[in-house]
Amino acid sequence: MLDAAERGVMVIEADDSNGSVGLGGLPDRDGNVTLDACIMHGDGRAGSVCFVQGIRHPISVARMVMEQTPHVMLVGKGAEQFAREQGITQKPNTLTDAARAAWQKWLAEKKYAAVINIENHDTIGLLALDQRGTMAGACTTSGLAFKMHGRVGDSPIIGAGLFVDGDVGGATCTGLGEAVLRTLATHLAVERMRIGDTPQQACEVAIKRIIAKNPSWRDLQVGILALHRDGTHGAYSIQPGFTYAFNDEVRTAASYL
Ligand code: ASP
């Protein structure tokens, strides 16, 4: 399941045309693409990296933190050093043409506000469940476009951007990280499923909590997905237009070849 979660989001990390995940992401206000990612197994193991630069697959480094260190989270230069020690090549932190053009357009106005509109977010969160009930999840992002240098959102924070408990289910969020951080929305959703909510009810409770705690909720977007270990799922968002994919096709190992 960890392979499914990691490899699923690696597809998006590798796509430089995506402006909100991986090295093709939109930069911070100083022109740096800084990446956050986390991975969690249903047995409670978790790994995370924040504020890494020049790393093609931050999700893989997050998994290495989980599997090869006694820690859950590594940040910035320490995370990059660890990645290099694991044989990962750190690239120069350059911008794609599209990201540079968007940044230069932003620089012309330099309107900085810690809010997100409903167009400029799209972290990927993936929840995976196999036929034996084993669960895992992954979440990876370049974060809020034109954020302050050093800003970390919800995506690499266990319980905020992602939470998985194999006894219950998992949840993952996209949208304005600050709003998710204040409510630990994915942890909330999983705990709601633990006490009997369906995944859909759990997602609605989490989004309603975010709305209740953010007077400016009309100006921001958060979307949440939840997957119960029984295979049912739910999704909810503050604003319309939150799309997600669900695949319950049962595949044999051979069909992945
Ligand atoms: N949740 C991400 C963050 O706040 C942004 C996004 O979902 O696009 O960093």
Side-chain angles (χ1 to χ4, degrees):
M1 277 299 91
L2 283 170
D3 287 343
E6 178 189 5
R7 286 169 187 266
V9 301
M10 281 172 75
V11 173
I12 312 300
E13 287 182 338
D15 178 2
D16 276 346
S17 70
N18 187 308
S20 52
V21 175
L23 294 175
L26 293 171
D28 65 18
R29 60 199 306 183
D30 299 331
N32 309 289
V33 179
T34 70
L35 305 176
D36 303 326
C38 72
I39 193 161
M40 188 165 192
H41 192 281
D43 65 10
R45 287 178 293 148
S48 164
V49 290
C50 310
F51 192 56
V52 294
Q53 301 182 51
I55 302 288
R56 167 59 71 193
H57 291 298
I59 195 65
S60 301
V61 186
R63 183 171 177 180
M64 289 169 186
V65 171
M66 179 179 86
E67 293 183 331
Q68 292 169 38
T69 80
H71 307 306
V72 169
M73 180 178 280
L74 291 178
V75 177
K77 290 198 185 315
E80 293 165 11
Q81 177 186 330
F82 170 70
R84 290 193 303 273
E85 286 166 3
Q86 299 304 309
I88 290 174
T89 306
Q90 187 174 15
K91 298 171 182 293
N93 195 1
T94 53
L95 300 182
T96 63
D97 290 346
R100 179 166 301 281
W103 178 51
Q104 281 168 347
K105 192 169 166 218
W106 178 83
L107 280 178
E109 289 194 343
K110 279 198 179 169
K111 266 196 197 152
Y112 179 75
V115 296
I116 197 163
N117 70 37
I118 60 175
E119 285 87 35
N120 73 352
H121 71 89
D122 211 1
T123 295
I124 178 162
L126 189 155
L127 301 166
L129 167 70
D130 74 11
Q131 287 168 292
R132 287 170 298 190
T134 310
M135 293 197 79
C139 186
T140 179
T141 191
S142 54
L144 187 61
F146 317 126
K147 60 195 174 186
M148 291 176 72
H149 188 57
R151 180 265 190 190
V152 171
D154 60 316
S155 306
I157 308 297
I158 300 299
L162 175 73
F163 194 69
V164 183
D165 182 334
D167 295 337
V168 180
T172 187
C173 275
T174 183
L176 182 63
E178 282 73 6
V180 179
L181 282 166
R182 289 189 194 109
T183 53
L184 294 180
T186 59
H187 184 261
L188 172 59
V190 171
E191 293 310 306
R192 290 297 303 202
M193 289 194 285
R194 193 189 306 277
I195 59 170
D197 278 5
T198 64
Q200 185 61 36
Q201 289 167 334
C203 288
E204 291 179 19
V205 167
I207 292 295
K208 283 174 186 162
R209 180 77 57 85
I210 290 172
I211 288 173
K213 297 289 179 190
N214 287 275
S216 62
W217 64 269
R218 283 188 181 78
D219 302 324
L220 60 95
Q221 172 68 311
V222 173
I224 184 166
L225 300 176
L227 178 65
H228 196 280
R229 74 182 302 281
D230 69 8
T232 56
H233 75 282
Y236 204 58
S237 60
I238 300 176
Q239 316 289 347
F242 171 52
T243 56
Y244 65 96
F246 176 72
N247 186 342
D248 62 355
E249 204 179 327
V250 176
R251 293 187 177 154
T252 61
S255 71
Y256 288 104
L257 298 175

